[in-house]
Short mmCIF file of all heavy atoms in Angstrom, two decimals:
data_model
loop_
_atom_site.label_atom_id
_atom_site.label_comp_id
_atom_site.label_asym_id
_atom_site.label_seq_id
_atom_site.Cartn_x
_atom_site.Cartn_y
_atom_site.Cartn_z
N GLN A 158 -5.81 -10.23 -3.34
CA GLN A 158 -5.77 -9.13 -2.37
C GLN A 158 -5.98 -9.64 -0.95
O GLN A 158 -5.34 -9.15 -0.01
CB GLN A 158 -6.83 -8.08 -2.73
CG GLN A 158 -6.50 -7.30 -4.00
CD GLN A 158 -7.51 -6.21 -4.27
OE1 GLN A 158 -8.61 -6.22 -3.73
NE2 GLN A 158 -7.16 -5.26 -5.13
N ALA A 159 -6.87 -10.62 -0.80
CA ALA A 159 -7.11 -11.16 0.54
C ALA A 159 -5.87 -11.88 1.07
O ALA A 159 -5.49 -11.72 2.24
CB ALA A 159 -8.31 -12.10 0.52
N SER A 160 -5.22 -12.66 0.20
CA SER A 160 -4.02 -13.37 0.64
C SER A 160 -2.87 -12.40 0.90
O SER A 160 -2.10 -12.58 1.84
CB SER A 160 -3.61 -14.41 -0.41
OG SER A 160 -3.35 -13.78 -1.66
N THR A 161 -2.76 -11.35 0.05
CA THR A 161 -1.71 -10.36 0.25
C THR A 161 -1.95 -9.56 1.52
O THR A 161 -1.01 -9.22 2.25
CB THR A 161 -1.63 -9.42 -0.96
OG1 THR A 161 -1.48 -10.18 -2.15
CG2 THR A 161 -0.46 -8.47 -0.83
N ALA A 162 -3.23 -9.25 1.78
CA ALA A 162 -3.55 -8.49 2.99
C ALA A 162 -3.21 -9.28 4.24
O ALA A 162 -2.94 -8.70 5.30
CB ALA A 162 -5.02 -8.11 2.98
N ALA A 163 -3.22 -10.63 4.14
CA ALA A 163 -2.92 -11.46 5.31
C ALA A 163 -1.43 -11.61 5.56
O ALA A 163 -1.03 -12.14 6.61
CB ALA A 163 -3.55 -12.84 5.12
N LEU A 164 -0.58 -11.14 4.62
CA LEU A 164 0.86 -11.28 4.79
C LEU A 164 1.36 -10.38 5.93
O LEU A 164 0.84 -9.28 6.14
CB LEU A 164 1.59 -10.91 3.50
CG LEU A 164 1.43 -11.85 2.31
CD1 LEU A 164 2.11 -11.25 1.08
CD2 LEU A 164 2.03 -13.21 2.61
N SER A 165 2.37 -10.85 6.62
CA SER A 165 2.99 -10.02 7.65
C SER A 165 3.95 -9.00 7.05
O SER A 165 4.30 -8.01 7.69
CB SER A 165 3.75 -10.89 8.66
OG SER A 165 4.74 -11.66 8.00
N ASP A 166 4.39 -9.24 5.80
CA ASP A 166 5.26 -8.30 5.10
C ASP A 166 4.41 -7.28 4.35
O ASP A 166 3.33 -7.60 3.84
CB ASP A 166 6.16 -9.02 4.10
CG ASP A 166 7.11 -9.99 4.77
OD1 ASP A 166 7.35 -9.81 5.98
OD2 ASP A 166 7.62 -10.90 4.10
N ALA A 167 4.91 -6.06 4.27
CA ALA A 167 4.20 -5.01 3.55
C ALA A 167 4.41 -5.20 2.05
O ALA A 167 5.52 -5.46 1.59
CB ALA A 167 4.71 -3.64 3.97
N VAL A 168 3.32 -5.06 1.29
CA VAL A 168 3.36 -5.17 -0.17
C VAL A 168 2.78 -3.88 -0.74
O VAL A 168 1.65 -3.51 -0.41
CB VAL A 168 2.57 -6.39 -0.68
CG1 VAL A 168 2.62 -6.45 -2.20
CG2 VAL A 168 3.13 -7.67 -0.07
N VAL A 169 3.55 -3.21 -1.60
CA VAL A 169 3.13 -1.93 -2.17
C VAL A 169 3.30 -1.99 -3.68
O VAL A 169 4.38 -2.35 -4.17
CB VAL A 169 3.96 -0.76 -1.60
CG1 VAL A 169 3.46 0.57 -2.15
CG2 VAL A 169 3.91 -0.75 -0.07
N MET A 170 2.23 -1.64 -4.41
CA MET A 170 2.29 -1.57 -5.87
C MET A 170 2.49 -0.11 -6.27
O MET A 170 1.75 0.77 -5.84
CB MET A 170 1.00 -2.12 -6.49
CG MET A 170 0.78 -3.60 -6.20
SD MET A 170 -0.81 -4.21 -6.84
CE MET A 170 -0.56 -3.97 -8.61
N ILE A 171 3.50 0.11 -7.13
CA ILE A 171 3.90 1.47 -7.53
C ILE A 171 3.86 1.55 -9.05
O ILE A 171 4.38 0.65 -9.73
CB ILE A 171 5.30 1.81 -7.00
CG1 ILE A 171 5.35 1.60 -5.48
CG2 ILE A 171 5.70 3.22 -7.37
CD1 ILE A 171 6.75 1.69 -4.90
N ASP A 172 3.26 2.61 -9.59
CA ASP A 172 3.16 2.73 -11.05
C ASP A 172 4.48 3.20 -11.65
O ASP A 172 5.48 3.41 -10.94
CB ASP A 172 2.01 3.66 -11.44
CG ASP A 172 2.23 5.10 -11.01
OD1 ASP A 172 3.37 5.45 -10.63
OD2 ASP A 172 1.27 5.89 -11.04
N SER A 173 4.50 3.37 -12.97
CA SER A 173 5.73 3.70 -13.67
C SER A 173 6.26 5.08 -13.32
O SER A 173 7.44 5.37 -13.53
CB SER A 173 5.50 3.63 -15.19
OG SER A 173 4.44 4.51 -15.58
N LYS A 174 5.41 5.95 -12.75
CA LYS A 174 5.84 7.29 -12.37
C LYS A 174 6.30 7.37 -10.90
O LYS A 174 6.68 8.43 -10.44
CB LYS A 174 4.71 8.29 -12.59
CG LYS A 174 4.29 8.42 -14.05
CD LYS A 174 3.17 9.44 -14.21
CE LYS A 174 2.76 9.57 -15.67
NZ LYS A 174 1.65 10.56 -15.84
N GLY A 175 6.22 6.25 -10.20
CA GLY A 175 6.64 6.25 -8.81
C GLY A 175 5.52 6.59 -7.84
O GLY A 175 5.79 6.92 -6.68
N LYS A 176 4.26 6.50 -8.30
CA LYS A 176 3.12 6.82 -7.45
C LYS A 176 2.51 5.54 -6.88
O LYS A 176 2.52 4.49 -7.53
CB LYS A 176 2.06 7.59 -8.24
CG LYS A 176 2.54 8.95 -8.73
CD LYS A 176 1.42 9.67 -9.48
CE LYS A 176 1.88 11.05 -9.96
NZ LYS A 176 0.79 11.75 -10.68
N LEU A 177 1.95 5.66 -5.67
CA LEU A 177 1.34 4.50 -5.01
C LEU A 177 0.02 4.14 -5.68
O LEU A 177 -0.82 5.00 -5.93
CB LEU A 177 1.09 4.82 -3.53
CG LEU A 177 2.33 5.16 -2.69
CD1 LEU A 177 1.91 5.52 -1.28
CD2 LEU A 177 3.29 3.99 -2.66
N GLU A 178 -0.15 2.84 -5.95
CA GLU A 178 -1.40 2.35 -6.54
C GLU A 178 -2.22 1.54 -5.54
O GLU A 178 -3.43 1.72 -5.44
CB GLU A 178 -1.09 1.48 -7.78
CG GLU A 178 -0.69 2.27 -9.01
CD GLU A 178 -0.62 1.38 -10.23
OE1 GLU A 178 -0.26 0.18 -10.09
OE2 GLU A 178 -0.92 1.86 -11.34
N TRP A 179 -1.54 0.65 -4.81
CA TRP A 179 -2.25 -0.23 -3.87
C TRP A 179 -1.25 -0.74 -2.85
O TRP A 179 -0.05 -0.87 -3.12
CB TRP A 179 -2.89 -1.40 -4.62
CG TRP A 179 -3.61 -2.36 -3.72
CD1 TRP A 179 -4.91 -2.30 -3.32
CD2 TRP A 179 -3.05 -3.53 -3.10
NE1 TRP A 179 -5.20 -3.35 -2.49
CE2 TRP A 179 -4.09 -4.13 -2.33
CE3 TRP A 179 -1.80 -4.13 -3.13
CZ2 TRP A 179 -3.89 -5.28 -1.62
CZ3 TRP A 179 -1.60 -5.28 -2.39
CH2 TRP A 179 -2.65 -5.86 -1.65
N TRP A 180 -1.75 -1.01 -1.63
CA TRP A 180 -0.90 -1.59 -0.59
C TRP A 180 -1.77 -2.39 0.36
O TRP A 180 -3.00 -2.22 0.42
CB TRP A 180 -0.13 -0.50 0.17
CG TRP A 180 -1.00 0.55 0.79
CD1 TRP A 180 -1.59 0.53 2.01
CD2 TRP A 180 -1.40 1.79 0.19
NE1 TRP A 180 -2.31 1.66 2.23
CE2 TRP A 180 -2.22 2.46 1.12
CE3 TRP A 180 -1.14 2.40 -1.04
CZ2 TRP A 180 -2.79 3.70 0.86
CZ3 TRP A 180 -1.70 3.64 -1.30
CH2 TRP A 180 -2.50 4.29 -0.36
N ASN A 181 -1.14 -3.28 1.11
CA ASN A 181 -1.89 -4.12 2.04
C ASN A 181 -1.89 -3.50 3.44
O ASN A 181 -1.31 -2.44 3.67
CB ASN A 181 -1.33 -5.55 2.06
CG ASN A 181 0.10 -5.59 2.55
OD1 ASN A 181 0.74 -4.55 2.75
ND2 ASN A 181 0.62 -6.79 2.76
N HIS A 182 -2.55 -4.17 4.37
CA HIS A 182 -2.68 -3.63 5.73
C HIS A 182 -1.32 -3.52 6.43
O HIS A 182 -1.10 -2.61 7.24
CB HIS A 182 -3.62 -4.50 6.56
CG HIS A 182 -5.03 -4.54 6.01
ND1 HIS A 182 -5.73 -3.39 5.73
CD2 HIS A 182 -5.85 -5.58 5.69
CE1 HIS A 182 -6.94 -3.71 5.27
NE2 HIS A 182 -7.03 -5.04 5.23
N ALA A 183 -0.41 -4.48 6.13
CA ALA A 183 0.91 -4.43 6.78
C ALA A 183 1.67 -3.16 6.39
O ALA A 183 2.44 -2.63 7.19
CB ALA A 183 1.72 -5.67 6.39
N ALA A 184 1.45 -2.66 5.17
CA ALA A 184 2.12 -1.43 4.74
C ALA A 184 1.63 -0.24 5.56
O ALA A 184 2.40 0.68 5.86
CB ALA A 184 1.89 -1.20 3.25
N GLU A 185 0.37 -0.23 5.91
CA GLU A 185 -0.16 0.84 6.75
C GLU A 185 0.47 0.80 8.14
O GLU A 185 0.78 1.84 8.72
CB GLU A 185 -1.68 0.74 6.84
CG GLU A 185 -2.38 0.88 5.49
CD GLU A 185 -3.90 0.73 5.61
OE1 GLU A 185 -4.36 0.44 6.73
OE2 GLU A 185 -4.60 0.90 4.60
N ARG A 186 0.67 -0.42 8.64
CA ARG A 186 1.24 -0.57 9.98
C ARG A 186 2.74 -0.27 10.00
O ARG A 186 3.24 0.36 10.93
CB ARG A 186 0.98 -1.99 10.47
CG ARG A 186 1.45 -2.23 11.90
CD ARG A 186 1.19 -3.65 12.33
NE ARG A 186 2.03 -4.62 11.64
CZ ARG A 186 1.62 -5.41 10.67
NH1 ARG A 186 0.37 -5.37 10.25
NH2 ARG A 186 2.46 -6.26 10.09
N MET A 187 3.46 -0.70 8.97
CA MET A 187 4.91 -0.60 8.98
C MET A 187 5.42 0.72 8.39
O MET A 187 6.46 1.23 8.81
CB MET A 187 5.52 -1.78 8.20
CG MET A 187 5.20 -3.13 8.83
SD MET A 187 5.61 -4.53 7.76
CE MET A 187 7.38 -4.38 7.67
N LEU A 188 4.69 1.27 7.40
CA LEU A 188 5.16 2.47 6.71
C LEU A 188 4.31 3.70 7.01
O LEU A 188 4.67 4.80 6.60
CB LEU A 188 5.18 2.23 5.20
CG LEU A 188 6.04 1.06 4.71
CD1 LEU A 188 5.88 0.89 3.21
CD2 LEU A 188 7.50 1.27 5.07
N GLY A 189 3.18 3.49 7.69
CA GLY A 189 2.34 4.62 8.02
C GLY A 189 1.50 5.11 6.87
O GLY A 189 1.03 6.27 6.89
N LEU A 190 1.28 4.29 5.85
CA LEU A 190 0.45 4.70 4.71
C LEU A 190 -1.02 4.75 5.14
O LEU A 190 -1.47 3.94 5.95
CB LEU A 190 0.62 3.73 3.54
CG LEU A 190 2.05 3.57 3.00
CD1 LEU A 190 2.07 2.61 1.83
CD2 LEU A 190 2.63 4.91 2.60
N ARG A 191 -1.77 5.67 4.55
CA ARG A 191 -3.18 5.83 4.88
C ARG A 191 -4.01 5.78 3.61
O ARG A 191 -3.71 6.46 2.63
CB ARG A 191 -3.42 7.17 5.59
CG ARG A 191 -2.71 7.30 6.94
CD ARG A 191 -2.91 8.68 7.52
NE ARG A 191 -2.35 9.71 6.61
CZ ARG A 191 -2.49 11.01 6.82
NH1 ARG A 191 -3.16 11.46 7.87
NH2 ARG A 191 -1.95 11.87 5.96
N ALA A 192 -5.03 4.95 3.66
CA ALA A 192 -5.96 4.85 2.53
C ALA A 192 -7.23 5.64 2.84
O ALA A 192 -7.72 5.60 3.97
CB ALA A 192 -6.31 3.38 2.26
N PRO A 193 -7.79 6.36 1.85
CA PRO A 193 -7.29 6.52 0.47
C PRO A 193 -6.45 7.77 0.28
O PRO A 193 -6.15 8.14 -0.86
CB PRO A 193 -8.59 6.62 -0.32
CG PRO A 193 -9.51 7.36 0.61
CD PRO A 193 -9.15 6.94 2.01
N ASP A 194 -6.08 8.47 1.37
CA ASP A 194 -5.40 9.77 1.24
C ASP A 194 -4.08 9.67 0.49
O ASP A 194 -3.74 10.56 -0.29
CB ASP A 194 -5.15 10.36 2.63
CG ASP A 194 -6.45 10.64 3.38
OD1 ASP A 194 -7.49 10.71 2.71
OD2 ASP A 194 -6.41 10.78 4.62
N ASP A 195 -3.32 8.59 0.72
CA ASP A 195 -1.98 8.48 0.12
C ASP A 195 -2.01 7.86 -1.27
O ASP A 195 -0.94 7.76 -1.91
CB ASP A 195 -1.07 7.67 1.03
CG ASP A 195 -0.78 8.38 2.34
OD1 ASP A 195 -0.87 9.62 2.34
OD2 ASP A 195 -0.51 7.71 3.34
N SER A 196 -3.14 7.41 -1.74
CA SER A 196 -3.22 6.82 -3.08
C SER A 196 -2.90 7.88 -4.13
O SER A 196 -3.44 8.99 -4.11
CB SER A 196 -4.61 6.25 -3.33
OG SER A 196 -4.68 5.65 -4.61
N GLY A 197 -1.98 7.55 -5.04
CA GLY A 197 -1.58 8.49 -6.07
C GLY A 197 -0.43 9.39 -5.66
O GLY A 197 0.06 10.17 -6.48
N GLN A 198 0.05 9.28 -4.40
CA GLN A 198 1.18 10.08 -3.95
C GLN A 198 2.50 9.40 -4.37
O GLN A 198 2.59 8.19 -4.51
CB GLN A 198 1.15 10.23 -2.43
CG GLN A 198 -0.06 10.98 -1.90
CD GLN A 198 -0.01 12.46 -2.25
OE1 GLN A 198 1.07 13.05 -2.31
NE2 GLN A 198 -1.17 13.04 -2.51
#
């Protein structure tokens, strides 16, 4: 998670139903995701 969080590219983990499970800081900057409000959306 620390190494993924340091990536400049956004990384988003999505479950089998298409819901958000986890994302790094770049995803918040590039996609506007907010933790923890968007978790499970």
